[in-house]
């Protein structure tokens, strides 16, 4: 039994989404997690994740191991008490801690493959709920946007605690993703921002309101195919993220490089301070913007079409 899940990027609204403002995220299908579940010839539940050099039996993993806890959480949800014998192989092309949703994608693909194997296929809604529970175990107070966009694998308009909305893309557009290669310290940037917000609530509430407007206008622009409007919205969102102290010299440098190389707009994406930036480009310019990012020190780039 096989299942997979894509990576993701946040287009607009990261961080503000933690404070109940809307954010937009889209799947990135160029990178993905693929899980295969087979009968095992030997006793136990064997997990192979060559990318992280993991070849282990479930019971010998630490209790809080992210992969082990997904499996145990699913078994308890399905009411399975006698453990089957299984060989589980997890392969991922999603860079880790880069803001591309690698953890949520492992959980989604693993739950989907196991649930099907155990003849208990789950709805997307149920998978999303379970993965959100797991995200909370590892990331403190996540908004839930990562698990949602990755479970549904479609563009989502997301407000914390509300039913998510899938939105249509009126005209496809091209994004270049540039990875700083620096792990994004999500927990730290989220808690630093909380401290600042507590000290200066009015100021940050105003910033979040501005971002909420950006997300709303961006959604309308994407739905109506007016993607040329997105560049300025990205630039504006990036400057607000700088005000929120979640950018970094490297992210700012890559954003500037992308604009100088002809991108229509650019911003950091995800929790910031490391991780990724994204740039809106005319499709024919995608390769040259990606090349400029690499020359400026990006560790890797991904060109993705949002459609
Ligand atoms: O780095 P990522 O893409 O996992 O993004 C975290 C996004 C935040 O808005 C900063 C936090 C959250 O839980 O939504």
């Amino acid at each position: 039994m096989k299942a997979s899940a894509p990576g993701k990027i946040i287009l607009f609204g990261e961080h503000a989404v933690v404070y109940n403002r809307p954010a937009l995220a889209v799947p990135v299908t160029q990178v993905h997690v693929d899980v295969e579940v087979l009968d095992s010839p030997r006793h136990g539940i064997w997990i192979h994740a060559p990318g992280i050099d993991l070849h282990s039996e479930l019971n010998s993993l630490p209790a809080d191991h992210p992969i082990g806890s997904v499996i145990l959480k699913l078994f308890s949800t399905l009411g399975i008490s006698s453990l089957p014998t299984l060989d589980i192989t997890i392969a991922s092309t999603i860079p880790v801690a880069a803001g591309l949703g690698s953890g949520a994608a492992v959980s989604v693909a693993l739950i989907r493959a196991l649930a099907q194997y155990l003849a208990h296929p789950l709805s997307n809604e149920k998978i999303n709920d379970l993965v959100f529970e797991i995200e909370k175990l590892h990331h403190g107070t996540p908004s839930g946007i990562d698990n949602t966009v990755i479970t549904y694998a479609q563009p989502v308009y997301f407000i914390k605690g509300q039913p998510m909305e899938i939105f249509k893309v009126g005209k496809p557009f091209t994004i270049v993703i540039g990875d700083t290669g620096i792990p994004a310290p999500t927990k730290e940037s989220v808690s630093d921002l909380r401290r600042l917000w507590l000290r200066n609530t009015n100021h940050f509430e105003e910033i979040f309101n501005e971002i909420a407007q950006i997300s709303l206008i961006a959604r309308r622009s994407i739905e109506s195919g007016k993607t040329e409007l997105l560049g300025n919205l990205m630039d504006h969102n990036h400057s607000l993220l700088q005000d929120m102290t979640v950018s970094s010299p490297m992210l700012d440098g890559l954003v500037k490089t992308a604009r100088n190389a002809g991108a229509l707009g650019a911003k950091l994406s995800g929790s910031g301070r490391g991780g990724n930036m994204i740039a809106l480009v005319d499709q024919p310019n995608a390769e040259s913007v990606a090349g400029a990012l690499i020359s400026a020190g990006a560790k890797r780039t991904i060109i993705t079409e949002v459609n």
Side-chain angles (χ1 to χ4, degrees), residues 8 10 14-15 17-18 99 141-146 184 186 190 270-271:
K8 73 99 210 345
I10 297 179
E14 51 276 274
H15 285 288
V17 71
V18 174
T141 54
S143 62
I145 190 168
D146 277 27
T186 306
V190 169
S271 62

Side-chain angles (χ1 to χ4, degrees), residues 84-146:
T85 61
L86 297 174
D87 261 322
I88 301 172
T89 305
I90 303 170
S92 175
T93 56
I94 307 179
V96 175
L100 289 167
S102 96
V106 167
S107 301
V108 169
L110 187 53
I111 288 178
R112 214 172 252 151
L114 273 173
Q116 280 171 20
Y117 181 91
L118 298 165
H120 282 277
L122 297 174
S123 66
N124 280 338
E125 199 182 349
K126 187 75 202 161
I127 293 174
N128 194 25
D129 287 348
L130 272 173
V131 177
F132 187 41
E133 291 304 311
I134 292 153
E135 292 278 290
K136 281 193 271 195
L137 288 181
H138 302 297
H139 302 298
T141 54
S143 62
I145 190 168
D146 277 27

Side-chain angles (χ1 to χ4, degrees), residues 18-301:
V18 174
Y19 299 81
N20 302 86
R21 296 338 190 262
L24 270 58
V26 294
V28 175
T29 52
Q30 284 77 5
V31 286
H32 39 90
V33 172
D34 299 286
V35 173
E36 185 169 28
V37 180
L38 295 169
D39 274 330
S40 177
R42 43 188 179 167
H43 188 72
I45 296 181
W46 290 87
I47 302 151
H48 313 278
I52 52 169
D53 214 12
L54 174 71
H55 298 277
S56 190
E57 207 282 314
L58 178 65
N59 286 323
S60 54
L61 292 176
D64 60 349
H65 190 281
I67 293 175
S69 48
V70 172
I71 298 171
L72 293 173
K73 175 106 192 149
L74 178 69
F75 287 165
S76 80
T77 304
L78 298 179
I80 292 173
S81 47
S82 72
L83 300 187
T85 61
L86 297 174
D87 261 322
I88 301 172
T89 305
I90 303 170
S92 175
T93 56
I94 307 179
V96 175
L100 289 167
S102 96
V106 167
S107 301
V108 169
L110 187 53
I111 288 178
R112 214 172 252 151
L114 273 173
Q116 280 171 20
Y117 181 91
L118 298 165
H120 282 277
L122 297 174
S123 66
N124 280 338
E125 199 182 349
K126 187 75 202 161
I127 293 174
N128 194 25
D129 287 348
L130 272 173
V131 177
F132 187 41
E133 291 304 311
I134 292 153
E135 292 278 290
K136 281 193 271 195
L137 288 181
H138 302 297
H139 302 298
T141 54
S143 62
I145 190 168
D146 277 27
N147 45 281
T148 304
V149 63
I150 288 169
T151 301
Y152 289 88
Q154 294 198 59
V156 301
Y157 177 84
F158 182 87
I159 301 175
K160 196 171 90 177
Q162 293 189 18
M164 62 94 199
E165 295 173 41
I166 288 169
F167 66 91
K168 290 263 168 284
V169 177
K171 189 173 83 187
F173 55 97
T174 306
I175 297 281
V176 180
I177 304 170
D179 186 352
T180 60
I182 299 166
T186 306
K187 236 178 180 168
E188 188 186 296
S189 57
V190 169
S191 68
D192 286 354
L193 183 57
R194 179 152 303 263
R195 262 194 301 279
L196 293 172
W197 173 79
L198 284 170
R199 248 192 275 154
N200 202 345
T201 308
N202 289 344
H203 173 65
F204 285 96
E205 284 293 312
E206 269 170 34
I207 294 181
F208 299 153
N209 286 340
E210 242 180 285
I211 292 176
Q213 283 306 313
I214 292 174
S215 289
L216 264 172
I217 299 169
R219 177 185 175 167
R220 277 193 224 121
S221 307
I222 294 171
E223 284 178 326
S224 58
K226 292 189 183 133
T227 47
E228 64 281 2
L229 301 178
L230 298 178
N232 282 341
L233 294 171
M234 281 189 180
D235 290 345
H236 187 188
N237 197 160
H238 184 71
S239 71
L240 295 168
L241 287 158
Q242 287 175 314
D243 294 346
M244 285 149 69
T245 78
V246 295
S247 193
S248 70
M250 176 141 189
L251 284 165
D252 290 344
L254 293 180
V255 161
K256 202 163 164 192
T257 299
R259 289 178 191 149
N260 290 341
L264 306 167
K267 64 183 277 293
L268 72 84
S269 172
S271 62
R273 297 195 178 155
N276 283 292
M277 48 72 65
I278 56 174
L280 176 73
V281 296
D282 286 327
Q283 211 280 331
N285 288 341
E287 290 291 350
S288 64
V289 171
L293 290 172
I294 293 289
S295 303
K299 193 167 169 207
R300 69 171 78 72
T301 58

